[in-house]
């Protein structure tokens, strides 16, 4: 069998715009050959201030230092970790139900909160429970710079560090799985929870389903996969530029929400700015147009704010692994179960996303 290289990944995914930007290929490359432009301003001769706003390429780049192409050494880790390659498409099968398979669906809210959590704080509560019970030694999450709102992948190694990430908005596009490299290669962690959107769950599924020996350390380290409802993600740079043109500074923003087809920005002074989602299509990552999964059905637990009242989370328990963690959090008073779920709302959006998205065509 011919070993695939980053060139095959580039041809099948990067060049045609189906890359989700999850960061899996960056994390698993043993040669540190793959990177995102905004992460490497000095190494690619890019002005450091402007790199974060570059929109020329939504896909990773390469230093052309690959074990396969340079030395004909068997690798293919980047290719096999990507769910949008020819092999990755076969890994994930679309379930008959639009929201995927599950054991139970509940609504819930965190009982212990630090005041900055979103949508009920269930994800933060689950991670806090997992750290307290010594079920995990690390959690890959997203954090935001409180001044610029710029997001980044973050490896939390304690409950206190998880609280630092609470309230982050996963509607930003960020290569969340970049931190896998630090967790597995550098810190040698063995019991990780990973939080992310459906595309991130797809990549974890590709990694844990692969026979590639170079992906085995990552597979063994992944313990809990917590997926987040997601219709699409926005690009940080273009969105900030749009808001700045309207006189809105990132440090003046209290929160941003999506409600009933509108993107709402709430400022510290109480003012609100509302935009129709359909008018913001140019801010959406191109790769999002190929994702038909709204709830993250390859996760252990899926969490979102559709189908439940404001301030409450909808929680989909997909397997006994995820249900076990949730039940422990309830038993230990981290989470309280609330009202019944309105599954019709979830199904409606899930069907809409399937209908709205493009098929991935592999040559």
């Amino acid at each position: 069998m011919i070993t695939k290289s980053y060139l095959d990944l580039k041809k099948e995914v990067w060049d045609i715009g189906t890359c989700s930007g999850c960061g899996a290929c960056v994390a698993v490359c043993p040669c540190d050959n793959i990177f995102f432009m905004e992460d490497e301003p000095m190494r690619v001769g890019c002005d450091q201030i402007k790199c974060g706003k570059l929109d020329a390429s939504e896909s990773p780049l390469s230093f052309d230092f690959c074990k396969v192409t340079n030395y004909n050494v068997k690798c293919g880790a980047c290719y096999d970790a990507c769910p949008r390659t020819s092999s990755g498409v076969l890994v994930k099968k679309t379930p008959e139900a639009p929201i995927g398979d599950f054991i139970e669906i509940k609504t819930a809210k965190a009982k212990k909160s630090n005041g900055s959590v979103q949508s009920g704080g269930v994800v933060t509560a689950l991670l806090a429970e997992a750290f307290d019970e010594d079920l995990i030694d690390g959690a890959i999450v997203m954090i935001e710079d409180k001044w610029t709102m710029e997001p980044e992948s973050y490896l939390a190694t304690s409950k206190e560090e998880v609280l630092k990430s609470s309230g982050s908005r996963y509607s930003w596009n960020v290569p969340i799985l970049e931190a896998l490299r630090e967790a597995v290669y550098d810190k040698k962690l063995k019991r990780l929870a990973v939080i992310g959107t459906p595309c991130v769950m797809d990549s974890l599924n590709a990694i844990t389903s692969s026979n590639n020996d170079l992906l085995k350390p990552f597979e063994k380290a992944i313990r809990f996969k917590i997926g987040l409802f997601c219709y699409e993600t926005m690009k940080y740079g273009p969105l900030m530029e749009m808001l700045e043109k309207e006189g809105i500074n990132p440090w003046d923003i209290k929160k941003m929400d999506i409600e009933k087809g509108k993107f709402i920005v709430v400022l510290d002074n109480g003012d609100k700015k509302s935009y129709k989602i359909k008018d913001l299509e140019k801010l959406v990552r191109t790769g999002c147009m190929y994702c038909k999964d709204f709830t993250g059905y390859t996760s252990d637990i899926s969490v979102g704010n559709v189908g439940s009242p404001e301030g409450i989370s909808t929680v989909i328990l997909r397997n006994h692994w995820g249900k076990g963690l949730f039940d422990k959090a309830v038993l230990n008073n981290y989470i309280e179960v609330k009202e019944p779920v309105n599954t019709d709302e979830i199904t409606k959006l899930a069907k809409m996303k399937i209908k709205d998205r493009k098929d991935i065509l592999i040559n």
Side-chain angles (χ1 to χ4, degrees):
M1 181 180 294
I2 299 175
T3 300
K4 299 285 189 177
S5 74
Y6 80 93
L7 292 177
D8 297 287
L9 180 61
K10 181 176 183 296
K11 178 181 177 182
E12 291 187 21
V13 180
W14 301 353
D15 288 350
I16 61 177
T18 60
C19 173
S20 70
C22 71
C25 58
V26 177
V28 303
C29 176
C31 296
D32 198 15
N33 175 50
I34 302 171
F35 63 96
F36 280 91
M37 174 71 83
E38 61 267 29
D39 295 334
E40 303 289 349
M42 304 308 293
R43 294 165 75 177
V44 297
C46 169
D47 184 286
Q48 192 166 6
I49 296 175
K50 295 180 180 179
C51 264
K53 297 183 178 180
L54 277 181
D55 193 34
S57 174
E58 296 181 10
S59 302
L61 301 172
S62 168
F63 291 114
D64 297 321
F65 183 76
C66 174
K67 293 168 67 176
V68 180
T69 58
N70 289 344
Y71 305 111
N72 199 29
V73 174
K74 183 178 179 181
C75 181
C78 62
Y79 186 90
D80 291 335
C82 179
R84 298 191 175 180
T85 60
S86 56
S87 63
V89 169
L90 300 177
V91 169
K92 177 185 176 183
K93 297 180 180 179
T94 304
E96 294 183 5
I99 60 177
D101 300 327
F102 60 89
I103 297 175
E104 294 180 79
I105 303 182
K106 300 177 179 290
T107 60
K109 183 176 182 179
K111 295 185 73 172
K112 304 175 182 180
S113 172
N114 71 337
S116 63
V117 295
Q118 287 192 318
S119 301
V122 166
V123 172
T124 301
L126 288 171
L127 295 179
E129 160 65 21
F131 272 115
D132 273 353
E133 292 282 326
D134 198 28
L135 303 178
I136 59 175
D137 53 11
I140 295 176
V141 296
M142 189 181 82
I143 60 172
E144 291 173 331
D145 184 304
K146 301 302 181 182
W147 187 254
T148 66
M149 297 187 70
E150 186 169 5
E152 65 176 292
S153 175
Y154 180 68
L155 172 62
T157 55
S158 68
K159 181 172 70 174
E160 291 70 28
E161 290 184 343
V162 163
L163 294 176
K164 176 181 177 182
S165 72
S166 63
S168 294
R169 300 160 184 82
Y170 285 77
S171 54
W172 291 125
N173 181 264
V174 62
I176 193 97
L177 292 179
E178 281 185 316
L180 260 180
R181 185 180 190 86
E182 176 189 359
V184 176
Y185 279 177
D186 300 338
K187 296 193 173 180
K188 312 297 182 186
L189 301 183
K190 303 293 185 182
R191 297 168 286 127
L192 295 171
V194 183
I195 317 302
T197 51
C199 59
V200 174
M201 297 299 107
D202 291 348
S203 296
L204 296 178
N205 188 51
I207 290 171
T208 56
S209 302
S210 176
N211 293 321
N212 190 317
D213 289 340
L214 291 171
L215 297 181
K216 292 302 179 184
F218 299 96
E219 175 189 351
K220 293 177 180 178
I222 297 167
R223 172 158 290 185
F224 295 115
K225 298 172 291 186
I226 302 179
L228 305 171
F229 293 8
C230 178
Y231 203 88
E232 57 199 13
T233 59
M234 296 185 185
K235 294 173 283 189
Y236 168 79
L239 178 58
M240 286 296 102
E241 288 180 358
M242 182 193 79
L243 294 177
E244 286 173 7
K245 287 179 181 178
E246 299 195 9
I248 299 175
N249 297 310
W251 52 85
D252 293 327
I253 298 174
K254 183 177 182 179
K255 66 176 183 177
M256 295 186 293
D257 286 319
I258 295 177
E259 298 177 3
K260 298 180 180 181
K262 293 184 178 180
F263 177 69
I264 301 171
V265 180
V266 181
L267 303 181
D268 287 329
N269 63 9
D271 291 346
K272 291 184 179 181
K273 185 71 176 179
S274 178
Y275 306 86
K276 292 181 180 179
I277 292 293
K278 64 180 182 180
D279 294 336
L280 303 180
E281 290 183 357
K282 62 182 180 180
L283 306 180
V284 175
R285 184 180 180 85
T286 304
C288 290
M289 302 311 297
Y290 297 88
C291 175
K292 298 186 177 186
D293 182 359
F294 174 62
T295 60
Y297 53 72
T298 57
S299 59
D300 301 314
I301 302 174
S302 296
V303 181
N305 61 359
V306 178
S308 53
E310 185 177 353
I312 306 293
S313 295
T314 296
V315 184
I316 303 177
L317 306 176
R318 299 193 178 277
N319 53 38
H320 292 290
W321 205 249
K323 186 177 185 303
L325 176 60
F326 182 85
D327 289 346
K328 270 185 169 292
V330 173
L331 182 65
N332 291 325
N333 291 315
Y334 270 96
I335 290 172
E336 58 181 331
V337 177
K338 306 297 286 186
E339 301 85 357
V341 177
N342 184 344
T343 55
D344 291 342
E345 290 185 14
I346 308 171
T347 300
K348 179 182 178 180
L349 273 177
K351 286 182 176 179
M352 188 184 303
K353 185 172 183 180
I354 292 171
K355 183 179 179 180
D356 191 39
R357 296 313 190 224
K358 303 175 183 178
D359 290 324
I360 296 178
L361 302 176
I362 304 295
N363 296 325

